[in-house]
């Protein structure tokens, strides 16, 4: 067994050691490297009652299941009995139970917190016992560069000094953009001459306020509030607080997206003003009624529509002032059930780690299994490098607006929203979405005439007239498709409000299939816990012929390869090999033969049953000579019924994230969204579309 062991240790209190440690694990996963995590000794907070915080955060969104750390009271018993050697034996035992062979192990040291004066002593012993390289974690805390250098150098002295072979470098956490030469949030890592004594800077993690926003649910639990209307208290996050005891006309400015409003429960005017703001699509985080006053049933009836829009309303017994004072003691630690916030923190930190350094931990040259974090990271980085312009015809749809903001902020693409600019800005403002990062907004009325003549020319063989073309261009999807056809944008993403047919039909009519394709098909990228698989075709062709199925297999293999998935194509059927007969299995057998003849360089095999394609034990019995069985990464289904049913069954039963459908075979990139798409789904689809556009440049 070969492993790299890195141990994160703090240079002082409050540096964010746990967040950096779990972020390092995610950075390894993003690069497709095998990672393990180990927390030797637990350090629970006074109010912690559940599992160890670090190990629970690592497990969230990952296949890793680290061993439990040694309880703190047990470790202290060893120390009190001067039995540190025995403690280290226990550490080694748990370490061996926690790690995967041939992995890079992140070991989280003890934080320096009050009441734990032995933290550095134990960290030194653990690092020596596990032969771990030391990664110091620090936070500038308003220090000047020279002060920071001295601070880190003193901390490194406990481990042999900055020149020691096993002291690798330092990660700066909680930096302010612009300070110490830091780049702004969203930029990739770049080495900075912060340390002048040949000491490596391994990462620089800027502060992001968004990472600190708690859910309304968390504050309700903290205040032991009575829930009058739950609304979206599980989803809405609190960005700020306001105490409204003054006249309504003097507090309207405070009614902003993400604000938690405290007001006495008998202030009917404030309650009504908050409800009206909610009706106008301003996403107030929540309304908290203080003093134990309960609103009347008549008032609640008047506020019914606001509550139906998701406005949470809470009630507490304490008065407004005491409630606001109590909030100062609110614990900002991330609750372990807040999956969204945990994953956001991990992704934020992972982006800010030096990826060249991370890649030095590749232990061998074997093919890396593309994990979901590695796949998503690859998507974003590839798209960022291309800087493509992607049109979003559903520009007034809130999820689309939010996705456009994220893509522009992170440089994933140059998003173009089609819609009424005033309406788009109103929706963005009411939902706390910042469109100042470079989102382009185009009023369709201002450009529609430009595309009438080109559209008539394309469809003249169908007898299209100016009047009909102008009518069809009233549909923003058609307008966006013409923008793509005329090279004004690089790709199109639609479907959050439209059917698949609404998105694909204009593309087929105006853009057509690519020269080497006879049909349009689709693939889904299925993000299983430890691997990304490709499913096709699960969205377009109801009953493809053998020729068409072969083409779908080849297109899907090339799509997989383009996005980092090594293609091993399984042609799925209810029968494996020659064990079955009938029209359906004969079609798959013929499609396999055609695909193999056309592309002998690709690994394609079939017919294969699903279990034989994905499970090595089953494959060894049913298809022992197959190079695909048990190792398939691309699954081609015989018809739409089978494909769509399978992808949805896997997605729902295993809680698998699916990205797609990604359309293939169209001359220019057009992609469809599910009408239930989440914001992240739209972001990744935009990234996929940008990458497809980049492939056309080659």
């Amino acid at each position: 067994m070969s492993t790299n062991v890195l141990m994160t240790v703090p240079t002082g209190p409050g540096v964010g050691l746990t967040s950096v440690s779990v972020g390092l694990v995610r950075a390894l996963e993003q690069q497709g490297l095998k990672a393990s995590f180990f927390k030797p000794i637990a350090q629970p907070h006074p109010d912690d009652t559940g599992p160890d915080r670090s190990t629970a955060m690592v497990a969230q969104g990952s296949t890793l299941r680290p061993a439990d750390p040694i309880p703190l009271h047990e470790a202290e018993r060893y120390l009190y009995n001067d039995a540190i050697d025995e403690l280290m034996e226990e550490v080694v035992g748990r370490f061996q139970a926690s790690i995967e062979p041939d992995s890079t192990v992140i070991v989280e040291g003890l934080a320096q917190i009050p009441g734990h004066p032995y933290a550095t002593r134990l960290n030194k012993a653990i690092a020596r016992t596990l032969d771990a390289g030391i990664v110091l974690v620090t936070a500038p805390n308003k220090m000047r560069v020279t002060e920071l250098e001295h601070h880190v150098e003193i901390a490194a002295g406990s481990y042999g000094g900055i020149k020691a072979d096993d002291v690798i470098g330092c990660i700066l956490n909680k930096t302010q953009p612009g300070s110490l030469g830091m780049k702004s949030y969203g930029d990739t890592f770049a080495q900075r001459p912060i340390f002048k004594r040949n000491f490596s800077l391994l990462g620089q993690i800027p502060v992001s306020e968004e990472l600190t926003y708690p859910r309304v649910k968390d504050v309700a639990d903290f205040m032991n509030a009575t829930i009058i209307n739950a609304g979206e208290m599980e989803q809405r996050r609190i960005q700020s607080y306001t105490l409204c005891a003054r006249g309504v006309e003097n507090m309207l400015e405070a009614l902003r997206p993400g604000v938690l409003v405290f007001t006495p429960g008998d202030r009917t005017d404030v309650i009504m003003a908050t409800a009206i703001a909610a009706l106008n699509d301003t996403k107030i985080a929540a309304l908290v009624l203080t003093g134990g006053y309960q609103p009347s049933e008549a008032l609640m009836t008047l506020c019914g529509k606001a509550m139906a829009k998701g406005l949470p309303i809470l009630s507490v017994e304490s008065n407004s002032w005491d409630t606001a004072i109590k909030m100062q003691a609110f614990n900002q630690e991330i609750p372990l059930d807040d999956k969204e916030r945990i994953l956001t923190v991990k992704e934020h930190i992972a982006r800010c780690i030096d990826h060249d350094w991370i890649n030095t931990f590749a232990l061998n040259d074997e093919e890396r299994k593309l994990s979901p974090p590695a796949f998503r990271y690859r998507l974003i980085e590839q798209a960022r490098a291309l800087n493509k312009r992607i049109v979003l015809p559903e520009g007034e749809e809130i999820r689309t607006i939010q996705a456009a903001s994220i893509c522009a902020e992170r440089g994933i693409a140059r998003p173009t929203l089609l819609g009424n600019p005033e309406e788009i800005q109103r929706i963005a403002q009411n939902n706390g979405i910042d469109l100042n990062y470079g989102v382009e907004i185009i009023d369709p009325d201002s450009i529609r005439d430009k595309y009438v003549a080109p559209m008539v020319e394309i469809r003249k063989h169908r007898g299209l007239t100016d009047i009909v073309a102008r009518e069809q261009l009233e549909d923003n999807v058609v307008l966006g498709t013409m923008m793509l056809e005329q090279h004004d944008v690089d790709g199109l993403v639609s479907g959050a409000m439209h059917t698949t047919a609404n998105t694909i039909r204009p593309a087929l009519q105006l853009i057509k299939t690519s020269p080497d394709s006879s049909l349009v098909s689709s693939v889904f990228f299925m993000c299983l816990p430890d691997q990304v698989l490709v499913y096709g075709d699960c969205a377009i062709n109801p009953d493809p012929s053998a020729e068409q199925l072969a083409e779908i297999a080849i297109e899907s293999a090339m799509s997989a390869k383009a996005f980092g998935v090594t293609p091993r194509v399984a042609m799925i059927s209810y029968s494996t090999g020659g064990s079955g007969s009938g029209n359906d299995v004969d079609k798959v057998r013929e499609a396999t033969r055609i695909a193999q003849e056309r592309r002998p360089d690709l690994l394609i095999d079939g017919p294969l049953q699903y279990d034989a394609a994905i499970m090595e034990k089953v494959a060894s019995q049913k298809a022992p000579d197959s190079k695909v069985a048990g190792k398939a990464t691309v699954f081609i289904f015989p018809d739409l019924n089978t494909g769509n049913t399978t992808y949805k069954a896997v997605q729902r039963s295993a809680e698998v994230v699916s990205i797609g459908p990604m359309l293939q075979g169209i001359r220019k990139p057009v992609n469809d969204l599910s009408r239930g798409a989440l914001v992240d789904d739209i972001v990744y689809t935009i990234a996929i579309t940008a990458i497809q556009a980049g492939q056309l440049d080659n």
Side-chain angles (χ1 to χ4, degrees), residues 552-573:
I552 291 169
I554 293 170
E555 290 270 9
S556 300
M558 300 316 295
S559 293
K561 188 174 182 179
F563 288 91
V565 178
T566 302
R568 291 186 289 272
V569 184
M571 309 293 285
I572 301 300
S573 177

Side-chain angles (χ1 to χ4, degrees), residues 454-646:
M455 185 170 172
V456 170
E457 179 64 24
I458 293 169
R459 300 285 289 166
K460 63 183 180 182
H461 66 290
R462 293 287 187 177
L464 186 69
T465 64
D466 284 14
I467 294 175
V468 176
R470 199 177 301 275
E471 288 178 355
Q472 292 183 3
L473 284 166
E474 291 289 333
D475 183 338
N476 283 353
V477 177
V478 176
L479 179 60
T481 304
M482 278 303 302
M483 294 174 70
L484 179 58
E485 199 282 331
Q486 292 290 293
H487 312 289
D488 292 333
V489 295
D490 300 303
L492 178 147
V493 173
S494 182
M497 298 172 62
H498 294 84
T499 65
T500 296
N502 288 136
T503 299
I504 295 176
R505 187 182 301 111
L508 291 176
Q509 293 174 344
L510 302 171
I511 294 176
K512 315 288 177 61
T513 57
S514 55
D516 54 351
S517 300
S518 66
L519 80 165
V520 174
S521 60
S522 71
V523 291
F524 282 90
F525 295 97
M526 305 295 291
C527 298
L528 274 65
D530 62 342
Q531 184 178 13
V532 175
L533 302 177
V534 177
Y535 283 9
D537 172 16
C538 304
I540 307 296
N541 298 283
D543 188 17
S545 66
E547 287 272 348
Q548 291 173 326
L549 199 59
E551 183 175 323
I552 291 169
I554 293 170
E555 290 270 9
S556 300
M558 300 316 295
S559 293
K561 188 174 182 179
F563 288 91
V565 178
T566 302
R568 291 186 289 272
V569 184
M571 309 293 285
I572 301 300
S573 177
Y574 60 77
S575 167
T576 294
S579 64
S581 61
N583 292 336
D584 291 338
V585 72
D586 289 343
K587 179 179 79 169
V588 174
R589 188 176 289 114
E590 176 64 9
T592 303
R593 184 191 65 78
I594 295 170
Q596 289 171 338
E597 285 184 358
R598 290 182 183 174
R599 291 299 302 271
D601 57 311
L602 293 174
L603 285 176
I604 303 174
D605 197 8
L608 289 171
Q609 291 164 289
Y610 189 92
D611 58 350
I614 199 169
M615 299 175 67
E616 292 191 24
K617 287 185 178 180
V618 177
S620 64
Q621 296 177 348
K622 293 188 175 183
D625 298 325
S626 173
K627 295 181 179 180
V628 172
K631 304 174 184 176
T633 56
V634 180
F635 295 72
I636 304 302
F637 297 98
D639 52 53
L640 185 59
N641 182 46
T642 306
N644 193 269
T645 301
T646 303

Side-chain angles (χ1 to χ4, degrees), residues 1 5 39 61 98 107 186 198 304 322 331 384 427 438 452 513 531 541 571 596:
M1 179 177 69
V5 183
K39 174 74 173 177
S98 187
V107 177
N198 297 319
D322 288 342
N331 186 354
R384 288 179 62 163
I427 293 171
V452 173
T513 57
Q531 184 178 13
N541 298 283
M571 309 293 285
Q596 289 171 338

